[in-house]
Amino acid sequence: MPTHQPIKPLRYRQIHLDFHTSEHIPGIGAEFDAADFVATLKAAHVDSITIFAKCHHGWSYYPTTIGFPHPQLARPDLMGEMVKACAAADIETPIYITVQWDERSARERPEWRLVSADRGSIHNAPVSDVSDLKQLSPLWHTICLNHKEYRDYVLAQAREVAQRYPTQGLFFDIVGTWGCVCSQCLKSMEAKGLDPELASDRLINDEAVNEQFRQEISTALFAEFPGLRVFYNVGHIHKQGKQRFSTYTHLELESLPTGGWGYDHFPSSARYAAPMGFDFLGQTGKFHTSWGEFGGFKQPQALEYEVMQMASLGAKCLVGDQLHANGAINHDTYKSIAPAYARLEQMEPFLRGAKQISDIAILAAEHFHPGTSRNHASDDGAAQMLLELKRPFDVLDGFSDFSPYRLIILPDDVPVGPELRTKLEAYRSKGGKLLLSGRSGLDPAGKILALDLGIIRQDQQVGYTPSYIRMTDHGLDASLPEAPFIAYGTAETVSLAGAVGFGEILPPYFQRSYKHFSSHQHAPDNPAAKPLGVVATEFNGIGYIAYPIFSMYHGGGQPLYKYLVRGLLARLVPDQAFTTDLPSGGRATVTYQADQDRHVLHLLYGAPQVRGKGIPSLDGSVRQMEMIEDVPALGPVTATVRLKSKPRRVYDAASGQDIAYSTGADGGVTLTVPSLHIHRAVVIDGGA
């Protein structure tokens, strides 16, 4: 494992300056003006900017002797000019090096190309068409890292950059798992006894190949360049345990809300990164859509919301931009970034060293089902619910420490093997509570319950999808109706064996088919039918919901599913860390700065709307566009934060103005802010 000396903390106000430029464009960097470049960054309150050594086209932007200078480069050392100018203005310049997308290398050395089991060597060609014609598509051809000559090439250029330029770190982009079955990977899998026809075995091989690459790079760089930051990017921080990131100095959470990640992705990723103890930053973009968009501008209010959400969740902040091929910085872009970064700079004293207050944790289903490019749907659904319910949470993997949390959620499909069972039972023995749903809690074979939930599970799932939930006389949550409501998911069939039950699962008259159907969607509930099982249970501090309720909520957004969870949470962990009357679209967090003995309550509102319904992607698919344009002011907004003692003072972080508050017998400090526009931070001195 590579060792590394301590590094300086990341800065808060960063830019990632994409610069992927074709050899068919003349005059690359011809209009770069160092003075204007720096003045524009300073006016936008930027204190760090990632600049390019080598781009996806395979070209370099400095006089390299290892790589290949861009053939149309108008300034021999464009990157060096940027480094020098920024250094004089105290702006950091981490440097970007592409890895697996290097179009020049793929063209000149085709034997290095990745061969995917289902997509050839084109990383995002549609699965339905992998013919040779796709080799002519305008898409990146991916390089396989199971070729030592290419790994050595990347390392040599990284060393060259770090030797020549006073950079704070290197950003290695595109180090992913693509299911490679090139001849070299087939040999590796055969040697390890892996089956290349199994996606799970291809993933194991990809991870091993990539880890070898990361170990080689980090070991060499850490030995030669003490204090250098190193990060490897693939667009998502996979929940594989902290040891997976031993070659990293920090984390960067690529998560452009309008670029395909959506507004639900970042909070879940941030709440996973923070408990691992890494210094980390969030990445959003200035683009209306995503990377590679010229002439696209996100609204300043959206950027302010996204930046302050990152900061409130413990992240440093980064906005992605793309430099024009001529090298001229876009002033309008930085005018749109400036308001967000001005506010962030004002908030920095209340962000440094702050730790999130979380009494609930989500044990990520993604950890147990690796191989996806984004969060597991059930994890996102659980995070979405907790955000809307204002229940502070972290996200854990199977290696994490469970002890700091009052309750752990196992969303929908978390298998419990012997090791996890022992860990959960130890957690339970010290008073920890659990909430499970769907198939969570079953042994890895999916046959029997590994934990005592006070229920009996039948071998077969409920035979109707959808089915109906009836909550008559349940007393669980006042917002749940007594009339049956539709459940768009397949429930487990369970009956009570000591647990307290809530609600019944009712069937429709029949499952819709060509033989018998009624109305436009599904048959109504059958009042005369025998219930198919219990909906929810509680037993010795363990709650259970028979449906995959979190992925159902993520898919359909039915508030009644959330109210069902809310009712169980209220029974299991009744004394919340804080409460607020913000609407469900609002966000709230509480952090604690130990060195200052102060809590900071962050209140945010900037609910996104679906505006675009057919954004095209390179692979021919389309997606919806969530966006924020004009954010209304709310107010007054009231919140109660539970503390151990009376605070010394409560005040607004931006203005320093005192805020009146009252204290309750239970330790709650109740305060009201008269208005909220996008973000408000309230400082509570003392009370820990």
Side-chain angles (χ1 to χ4, degrees):
M1 180 180 297
T3 58
H4 195 250
Q5 294 187 6
I7 60 173
K8 293 181 180 179
L10 295 165
R11 293 189 172 183
Y12 272 94
R13 292 165 276 120
Q14 304 192 41
I15 296 294
H16 185 103
L17 192 63
D18 250 20
F19 198 52
H20 303 290
T21 56
S22 168
E23 61 272 23
H24 301 291
I25 297 177
I28 301 300
E31 296 184 29
F32 175 75
D33 182 323
D36 182 53
F37 186 76
V38 167
T40 303
L41 296 177
K42 296 294 282 187
H45 304 267
V46 172
D47 58 13
S48 178
I49 182 167
T50 302
I51 58 178
F52 271 41
K54 186 180 79 166
C55 74
H56 289 342
H57 289 277
W59 301 117
S60 297
Y61 299 91
Y62 69 102
T64 175
T65 60
I66 303 298
F68 300 87
H70 197 294
Q72 304 280 6
L73 194 59
R75 313 176 79 89
D77 195 4
L78 177 62
M79 185 182 78
E81 291 187 58
M82 292 180 177
V83 171
K84 182 178 179 180
C86 287
D90 190 29
I91 298 173
E92 290 191 346
T93 50
I95 292 176
Y96 174 104
I97 297 175
T98 192
V99 179
Q100 287 188 278
W101 291 348
D102 178 337
E103 197 64 11
R104 185 195 179 281
S105 292
R107 182 170 61 248
E108 299 295 326
R109 298 294 300 272
E111 70 274 17
W112 289 347
R113 288 189 188 183
L114 175 144
V115 179
S116 172
D118 55 12
R119 288 180 173 84
S121 62
I122 304 292
H123 85 279
N124 58 352
V127 178
S128 60
D129 187 355
V130 293
S131 66
D132 289 341
L133 182 62
K134 283 297 171 185
Q135 297 301 314
L136 303 180
S137 296
L139 304 170
W140 309 115
H141 295 77
T142 307
I143 302 291
C144 174
L145 293 177
N146 208 354
H147 298 275
K148 188 176 187 303
E149 188 178 355
Y150 184 71
R151 298 198 306 272
D152 290 346
Y153 168 55
V154 175
L155 175 57
Q157 187 158 22
R159 293 181 67 250
E160 178 184 60
V161 167
Q163 287 169 350
R164 292 191 188 180
Y165 300 94
T167 182
Q168 294 75 34
L170 297 178
F171 181 101
F172 294 98
D173 198 16
I174 316 300
V175 184
T177 53
W178 314 92
C180 187
V181 291
C182 73
S183 59
Q184 196 66 26
C185 284
L186 289 176
K187 291 178 184 177
S188 297
M189 283 186 270
E190 182 179 3
K192 298 171 186 173
L194 299 174
D195 183 353
E197 293 193 71
L198 296 177
S200 57
D201 280 11
R202 296 195 297 270
L203 177 62
I204 291 171
N205 185 68
D206 281 347
E207 288 287 359
V209 168
N210 291 348
E211 181 62 15
Q212 179 184 24
F213 167 77
R214 292 189 294 261
Q215 290 283 343
E216 290 173 358
I217 295 287
S218 290
T219 298
L221 294 179
F222 292 169
E224 188 172 353
F225 308 101
L228 185 75
R229 298 189 191 114
V230 171
F231 175 74
Y232 303 92
N233 185 53
V234 71
H236 178 64
I237 300 299
H238 294 283
K239 298 174 180 66
Q240 299 171 352
K242 186 175 181 179
Q243 73 283 355
R244 162 65 174 74
F245 305 103
S246 65
T247 53
Y248 296 58
T249 57
H250 66 286
L251 298 179
E252 302 198 23
L253 279 53
E254 185 178 2
S255 186
L256 281 62
T258 58
W261 285 258
Y263 276 92
D264 293 333
H265 178 266
F266 178 77
S268 179
S269 292
R271 298 322 312 145
Y272 177 63
M276 290 195 292
F278 283 100
D279 196 7
F280 71 102
L281 60 84
Q283 289 190 5
T284 185
K286 75 95 180 184
F287 316 103
H288 177 68
T289 57
S290 193
W291 301 108
E293 179 185 62
F294 288 103
F297 296 91
K298 183 176 289 179
Q299 293 299 304
Q301 292 194 12
L303 283 169
E304 185 172 345
Y305 174 82
E306 291 165 17
V307 163
M308 294 317 304
Q309 179 179 238
M310 292 179 202
S312 72
L313 291 169
K316 310 297 175 61
C317 304
L318 179 150
V319 177
D321 182 24
Q322 182 169 221
L323 188 66
H324 193 283
N326 65 19
I329 194 166
N330 189 299
H331 296 148
D332 288 315
T333 289
Y334 291 87
K335 288 177 183 177
S336 70
I337 294 171
Y341 273 4
R343 181 164 185 83
L344 181 59
E345 184 175 22
Q346 186 182 37
M347 290 294 110
E348 283 183 28
F350 306 99
L351 301 173
R352 296 189 187 98
K355 303 296 182 183
Q356 181 95 355
I357 302 298
S358 297
D359 54 10
I360 296 174
I362 300 168
L363 182 56
E366 181 191 342
H367 175 76
F368 302 92
H369 303 281
T372 57
S373 61
R374 295 285 188 271
N375 296 329
H376 195 282
S378 61
D379 298 338
D380 269 349
Q384 184 181 349
M385 278 194 191
L386 295 177
L387 288 166
E388 293 173 4
L389 293 172
K390 316 301 185 292
R391 301 296 299 246
F393 68 95
D394 287 335
V395 178
L396 309 180
D397 57 53
F399 303 109
S400 301
D401 179 11
F402 294 172
S403 63
Y405 306 97
R406 297 173 63 194
L407 177 139
I408 295 176
I409 296 174
L410 281 65
D412 296 353
D413 195 11
V414 175
V416 177
E419 186 175 346
L420 179 56
R421 176 180 177 177
T422 299
K423 191 170 182 177
L424 289 172
E425 288 177 342
Y427 168 76
R428 289 275 298 116
S429 70
K430 297 180 181 179
K433 307 293 181 66
L434 300 176
L435 175 58
L436 297 81
S437 60
R439 297 180 63 79
S440 288
L442 294 175
D443 70 332
K447 298 296 184 183
I448 61 173
L449 284 168
L451 301 170
D452 184 5
L453 306 183
I455 59 177
I456 298 173
R457 176 183 176 273
Q458 306 300 319
D459 289 337
Q460 293 183 334
Q461 294 178 302
V462 167
Y464 297 91
T465 305
S467 55
Y468 291 86
I469 294 174
R470 181 170 63 191
M471 300 295 293
T472 306
D473 298 328
H474 56 86
L476 192 61
D477 188 283
S479 295
L480 290 170
E482 293 191 2
F485 61 91
I486 194 75
Y488 291 105
T490 303
E492 303 298 307
T493 305
V494 299
S495 57
L496 300 177
V500 177
F502 305 96
E504 299 173 324
I505 299 173
L506 300 181
Y509 283 98
F510 42 75
Q511 187 74 40
R512 187 179 181 93
S513 74
Y514 76 93
K515 294 180 181 179
H516 38 59
F517 60 90
S518 178
S519 190
H520 300 296
Q521 294 193 54
H522 39 259
D525 64 285
N526 184 353
K530 181 180 178 180
L532 303 176
V534 66
V535 173
T537 64
E538 182 191 349
F539 180 72
N540 291 340
I542 303 178
Y544 175 73
I545 299 172
Y547 287 93
I549 199 77
F550 298 108
S551 55
M552 288 164 55
Y553 188 68
H554 182 65
Q558 169 56 265
L560 297 177
Y561 305 159
K562 177 174 62 180
Y563 303 155
L564 180 59
V565 171
R566 180 175 67 184
L568 282 175
L569 290 177
R571 292 178 65 93
L572 294 167
V573 281
D575 300 322
Q576 294 184 220
F578 63 86
T579 59
T580 176
D581 60 3
L582 268 177
S584 60
R587 298 290 179 259
T589 62
V590 172
T591 61
Y592 180 65
Q593 291 177 293
D595 60 341
Q596 303 288 333
D597 184 24
R598 67 187 179 198
H599 291 81
V600 181
L601 169 67
H602 293 274
L603 302 170
L604 293 110
Y605 186 79
Q609 299 175 328
V610 175
R611 293 284 185 88
K613 301 175 178 64
I615 298 297
S617 299
L618 285 175
D619 63 1
S621 64
V622 296
R623 61 178 174 83
Q624 289 187 335
M625 167 67 76
E626 290 181 300
M627 65 172 292
I628 295 170
E629 182 183 4
D630 39 11
V631 181
L634 302 181
V637 176
T638 298
T640 298
V641 180
R642 192 173 303 281
L643 303 176
K644 294 180 180 178
S645 60
K646 186 176 179 179
R648 297 184 296 269
R649 183 189 174 205
V650 178
Y651 62 96
D652 179 81
S655 67
Q657 183 176 357
D658 284 348
I659 295 175
Y661 66 92
S662 61
T663 57
D666 59 356
V669 174
T670 299
L671 57 95
T672 299
V673 296
S675 64
L676 167 64
H677 182 241
I678 302 178
H679 171 257
R680 189 115 184 205
V682 178
V683 182
I684 306 173
D685 270 340

